[in-house]
Structures are given as C-alpha cells and as structure tokens.
C-alpha cells in the first residue's frame, strides 16, 4: 500500500515546482561557472545552458519559475555579449508577463544594464527613468533612483550625484 501511495504521489508531483527547481539548479551552476570568466568559455557551453533553460521553459510553461528562466536566458546572452538577443529576450518578458510588474521591471533594468555595458548612458538613463515612472512600487523601481545616484558617484560626477539624490528624495517623498 505504501509503495502504491508513493508511486501515486510521485506521479502527481511530476509537474511541481520542486522538479523544475532541481532542473534549474543544475543548469544555474553551469551558468555561475561561465560567469566567472565568460571570455574563455567556448560558445558550445553558452548554448548548452541557454538550451537547457529553454527546454525547461518549453516543458513547464505554466510554472511560477518560468519568468525567472527567461531572465536567466537573457543573462546568458549578456555574458555571451550577444546584446541584441538579450534585448529581445528582456522585451519578450515584458510582453509575456505584463501583469507581473516585478519581473517586467527587472527585465527592463537588465536592458538598462546592457546600455551601460555598451557605454550608452543616455539610453540607460531613459530606461531607468521608465522603470521609476512605470514600476515605482516594485523592488526594482524602488532601488533604481539610488542606483542612478550611485552610478554618478562612481563616475565621480559630484553635481550629477547630488541632483540624482535630490531626485530620489522627491520620488520617495511622492510615493
């Protein structure tokens, strides 16, 4: 009887998030290894991780973990320095999950980071402003004003840093 119950519960559990988490965990550790020094990693390793994530997305499209997998795919494209593919993935997330404000804000923030990596601060700034305006109460939206101020601080731009902090104060006060 116990074996029968175990078999039944195991069969019912095949689509649970636990199974998805186990599969993600293995692939994520490969991603972490790649992130240590992506410049010495062969393209085949990038593609293996990306296809692993995509396979999980295809097999478990309704899992609560799927939006985060899209983020991981985009991150892999960034590590691979395929910024066009990363942009497409991050904007696809916003299209697929318009009601998930946090994941949309996070995807948009990743777009801003790509602009920063490619030394295009004006576009990054536009993206960050969009996050602040459209996703103000998300974790990403709440942290973005300070992120902008810290960016200017790290660039040793005193006046821009002060302006950004004042803007952040106005934003938080308005909330």
């Amino acid at each position: 009887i116990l074996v029968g119950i175990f078999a039944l519960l195991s069969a019912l559990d095949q689509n649970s998030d636990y199974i998805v988490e186990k599969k993600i965990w293995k692939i994520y550790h490969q991603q972490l290894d790649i992130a240590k020094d992506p410049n010495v990693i062969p393209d085949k390793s990038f593609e293996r991780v990306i296809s692993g994530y995509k396979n999980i997305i295809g097999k478990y499209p309704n899992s609560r973990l799927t939006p985060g997998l899209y983020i991981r795919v985009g991150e892999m494209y960034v590590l691979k320095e395929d910024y066009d593919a990363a942009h497409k993935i991050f904007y696809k997330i916003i299209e697929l999950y318009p009601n998930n404000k946090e994941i949309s804000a996070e995807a948009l923030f990743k777009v801003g980071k790509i602009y920063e990596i490619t030394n295009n601060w004006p576009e990054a700034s536009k993206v960050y402003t969009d996050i602040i305006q459209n996703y103000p109460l998300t974790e990403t939206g709440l942290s973005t004003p300070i992120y902008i101020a810290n960016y200017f601080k790290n660039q040793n731009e005193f006046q821009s840093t002060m302006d950004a902090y004042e803007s952040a104060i106005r934003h938080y006060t308005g909330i």
Side-chain angles (χ1 to χ4, degrees), residues 47-65:
E47 293 306 320
R48 185 175 49 248
V49 171
I50 291 169
S51 67
Y53 284 140
K54 287 182 176 181
N55 287 339
I56 296 171
I57 291 169
K59 194 169 181 180
Y60 303 98
N62 297 321
S63 170
R64 67 175 175 78
L65 303 171

Side-chain angles (χ1 to χ4, degrees), residues 11 15 31 38 43 63 82 95 101-102 108 114 142 172 174:
N15 290 324
Q31 179 180 356
D43 284 346
S63 170
D82 187 348
E95 290 175 23
K101 301 295 185 192
E102 186 57 54
L108 203 53
I114 292 170
L142 288 169
Y172 296 133

Side-chain angles (χ1 to χ4, degrees), residues 30-38 41 45-46 49 76 79:
Q30 294 174 21
Q31 179 180 356
L32 291 177
D33 289 340
I34 290 171
K36 290 176 185 172
D37 194 0
I41 303 295
S45 296
F46 287 98
V49 171
M76 286 303 300
L79 287 173

Side-chain angles (χ1 to χ4, degrees), residues 2-16 18-19 22 60:
L2 290 175
V3 171
I5 292 173
F6 176 76
L8 177 65
L9 291 176
S10 295
L12 293 174
D13 194 42
Q14 289 299 309
N15 290 324
S16 78
Y18 177 71
I19 300 294
K22 281 181 20 180
Y60 303 98

Side-chain angles (χ1 to χ4, degrees), residues 105-126:
E106 184 179 350
L108 203 53
F109 189 83
K110 301 279 185 182
V111 170
K113 293 295 287 179
I114 292 170
Y115 284 125
E116 279 188 66
I117 291 169
T118 58
N119 295 317
N120 190 347
W121 176 255
E123 286 300 315
S125 179
K126 287 179 189 176

Side-chain angles (χ1 to χ4, degrees), residues 137 142 145 165-175:
L137 299 178
L142 288 169
Y165 279 126
E166 288 175 12
S167 177
I169 291 168
R170 283 193 305 275
H171 172 70
Y172 296 133
T173 303
I175 291 177

